[in-house]
Amino acid sequence: MRRWLIPGGHIPLDLNGGDYISFLNLGDKTDALLFIYHQDRNCVGPYKVQLKAWRVCKLSLSELIDPEALILDEPYSVEIQTSKSVIVQFSRRDSTHSHRSLCGGISYSQE
Amino acid sequence: MSVQWENWSGSIIFKAHKLIRPKSEEEVMDIIRDASLKGRTLRVKGSSHSSMPLFVTDDTLISLERMRGVISHDTQTSTADCLPGTTIKTLGDELLLRHLSPPNLGDVALQHIAGAIGTGTHGTGVGLGNLSTMLIGGKLINGNGELITIEETDTHLLNACRVSLGLLGIFTEMKLSLQPLYKLERKEWFVPFLKFIDHIEELINQNRHMDFYWYPRNDLVKIRTMNHPGQGVMNVSEALLDEEKIDYAQNILHKHTEIKNKFEEMEYELPFEEGVKCFLKVRDRVLKKWRKLVGWRLLYRTIKEDDSYLSPAFGRKTVSISLHQNSSLPYKEFFQDIEPIFRDHQGRPHWAKKHNLTKKELRSLYPKWDHFVELREKFDPKGVFLNSYLKETFT
């Protein structure tokens, strides 16, 4: 199992803001399982994301509803699990602060 | 032996004295006669898809799951007789073999046909009635244990029986008005809300079925149309086609044969001309107050007016607006905050979805309420089909 941990999640209330995870799957189709950790209640998940073979998948975390919508403007962390090696990039668009409207970075999995 | 039961979303949990699964009309009759004699009560659980306590009982819970399937049909008149525990999915499959199709269905195919009809469940289409309008006759065992045959010509009885919440009796056969087998083409587009809203009336009027989801987290709309292949209109130039599919109507009209995600739902049905005004107010309120907690989409559909006494579409061309929220997140506060907007626009609540209206408020919404209540007293004088919620509302 491959595992990624992104501790600094926060989706702004601004309609144009959001946290995103991009997946690049350079192999056979597989699933990614996401678990969301909160400050004051139990972890929610898994959120299942289907990753098609040799495809990119961009996920907007604010649009997830199954099993539960993420609450905006609150800190959260994401754990991602896959059974196969894929490439993961986390990015944030936060237009409430024009000087840092987009940031992101590539995460490497812990095997 | 007592049995614990819950609805599909988990918001209604109760313990019934016993659960009975009759296989025939005779068994249903015996169960009702026995209950009537002993002063007991019964509720039919359907598929337990209701979010209101319609099937809650501490006495006898009835499952009609063994009374399912289409028992006869007539392709000349496009009608079929089916058993009450037939699911929407099974009904569609069996009608396909008989070269018949339903005129319309809702999104979900899990419900039993008797429950879907009895609660005024609907799909979308301004020229198409809710599912109860398919009912043109049948057989029902009333609270005295008497078999009542409902004829197509008995308008008063049919208007009362269509949306009747299981208060008049238990259906043992239902005669449905259908259509010759036909195909539909489903298309789904995404478009920003503000690019879409000025086109809504034309889309509603020029597509056999049209509805839309609005997503509060990104302010996008998913427009869904269903038409006879090659027909229909999409007049929003910015709309991006996301999905298209052609199949027999019964395979296109519903989209969900299972629901894995538990959510709660409130839906109000409003006069057609109030629909957009109301939706704009609801959208504004959600964006200002609820977007932080609510990721679920809102659904906008249309329904043809009908004559069923307790139908939310009684006497008026109708728009329905549905709110959804994960059952694990705050939903009561959300629904309670939006409900007054629906009420300000003369909304009538869906019988099987969350609402907070009292008997007095409900009665004021239905011009034929007293006609229904009068017939209920005649059909079930001992209150065999009442639970505490229904007793409070209808007696």
Side-chain angles (χ1 to χ4, degrees), chain B residues 115-392:
Chain B
I117 284 175
T119 55
T121 293
H122 62 92
T124 190
V126 75
L128 299 160
N130 65 30
L131 270 61
S132 81
T133 59
M134 286 195 292
L135 186 75
I136 54 167
K139 293 180 183 175
L140 170 140
I141 316 287
N142 70 13
N144 299 319
E146 299 158 343
L147 176 66
I148 307 292
T149 300
I150 305 164
E151 302 291 347
E152 194 170 351
T153 49
D154 192 343
T155 313
H156 172 53
L157 188 53
L158 263 178
N159 286 341
C161 282
R162 282 185 175 126
V163 182
S164 56
L165 312 174
L167 285 166
L168 302 181
I170 297 180
F171 272 100
T172 54
E173 275 184 39
M174 308 183 95
K175 182 181 275 298
L176 305 180
S177 172
L178 304 160
Q179 295 187 359
L181 187 65
Y182 66 100
K183 285 189 172 180
L184 283 175
E185 181 175 30
R186 172 192 280 273
K187 291 185 177 179
E188 300 184 355
W189 290 267
F190 280 101
V191 65
F193 179 79
L194 294 175
K195 303 276 185 188
F196 151 79
I197 193 63
D198 290 341
H199 302 278
I200 185 170
E201 197 156 329
E202 192 181 346
L203 287 169
I204 287 171
N205 290 329
Q206 298 199 18
N207 290 287
R208 187 177 194 267
H209 310 252
M210 179 270 175
D211 62 20
F212 73 87
Y213 284 116
W214 172 69
Y215 296 83
R217 291 282 171 91
N218 57 23
D219 207 21
L220 289 176
V221 164
K222 183 199 267 188
I223 306 167
R224 307 187 302 176
T225 62
M226 290 177 283
N227 291 289
H228 297 298
Q231 297 183 7
V233 163
M234 170 45 66
N235 58 356
V236 187
S237 56
E238 294 87 348
L240 294 174
L241 186 63
D242 182 60
E243 186 181 322
E244 55 186 327
K245 186 180 173 189
I246 298 179
D247 202 341
Y248 291 110
Q250 42 266 71
N251 297 333
I252 291 286
L253 287 164
H254 65 72
K255 209 166 179 193
H256 305 290
T257 51
E258 59 175 331
I259 303 180
K260 291 175 284 184
N261 191 357
K262 290 184 174 182
F263 62 87
E264 297 298 338
E265 190 170 2
M266 169 178 275
E267 178 182 293
Y268 268 72
E269 300 183 27
L270 329 155
F272 183 83
E273 54 279 9
E274 297 293 315
V276 172
K277 283 183 277 183
C278 180
F279 189 83
L280 289 172
K281 285 187 196 167
V282 172
R283 172 179 171 271
D284 190 51
R285 185 74 179 165
V286 172
L287 288 176
K288 281 186 181 144
K289 186 168 179 189
W290 291 105
R291 199 172 153 271
K292 177 183 171 82
L293 289 174
V294 177
W296 272 86
R297 56 207 184 182
L298 279 69
L299 175 58
Y300 190 104
R301 293 182 281 181
T302 58
I303 308 141
K304 186 182 175 183
E305 70 177 269
D306 64 49
D307 300 323
S308 307
Y309 298 157
L310 292 189
S311 168
F314 176 84
R316 63 193 200 189
K317 189 163 81 167
T318 290
V319 157
S320 72
I321 301 175
S322 316
L323 313 174
H324 308 84
Q325 171 68 314
N326 293 107
S327 54
S328 56
L329 290 174
Y331 64 86
K332 289 180 185 167
E333 300 88 336
F334 173 43
F335 293 170
Q336 276 171 4
D337 185 59
I338 304 293
E339 193 170 29
I341 304 176
F342 291 141
R343 297 216 59 214
D344 282 349
H345 290 271
Q346 304 159 51
R348 294 170 178 157
H350 191 304
W351 287 107
K353 298 177 185 180
K354 299 287 188 200
H355 71 82
N356 297 293
L357 298 199
T358 61
K359 172 186 175 178
K360 187 180 169 191
E361 290 162 335
L362 287 164
R363 184 170 179 260
S364 72
L365 295 172
Y366 289 94
K368 299 282 188 180
W369 181 274
D370 291 345
H371 288 65
F372 179 83
V373 168
E374 193 180 307
L375 197 69
R376 193 211 68 75
E377 284 165 1
K378 186 177 159 195
F379 269 49
D380 185 22
K382 292 186 180 173
V384 171
F385 303 120
L386 292 174
N387 61 20
S388 57
Y389 165 70
L390 294 166
K391 192 172 186 177
E392 197 178 307

Side-chain angles (χ1 to χ4, degrees), chain A residues 64-91:
Chain A
L64 295 175
I65 53 168
D66 184 8
E68 185 179 291
L70 273 69
I71 295 174
L72 307 187
D73 201 27
E74 278 188 6
Y76 69 91
S77 301
V78 192
E79 177 185 353
I80 304 167
Q81 296 177 3
T82 63
S83 58
K84 294 177 183 167
S85 187
V86 298
I87 298 162
V88 172
Q89 181 177 27
F90 174 78
S91 60

Side-chain angles (χ1 to χ4, degrees), chain B residues 45 56 63 76 252 286 351:
Chain B
K45 71 171 192 64
V56 170
S63 168
Q76 296 298 314
I252 291 286
V286 172
W351 287 107

Side-chain angles (χ1 to χ4, degrees), chain A residues 22-34:
Chain A
S22 297
F23 297 91
L24 173 58
N25 180 16
L26 297 173
D28 295 337
K29 70 176 181 183
T30 189
D31 290 333
L33 301 179
L34 274 62

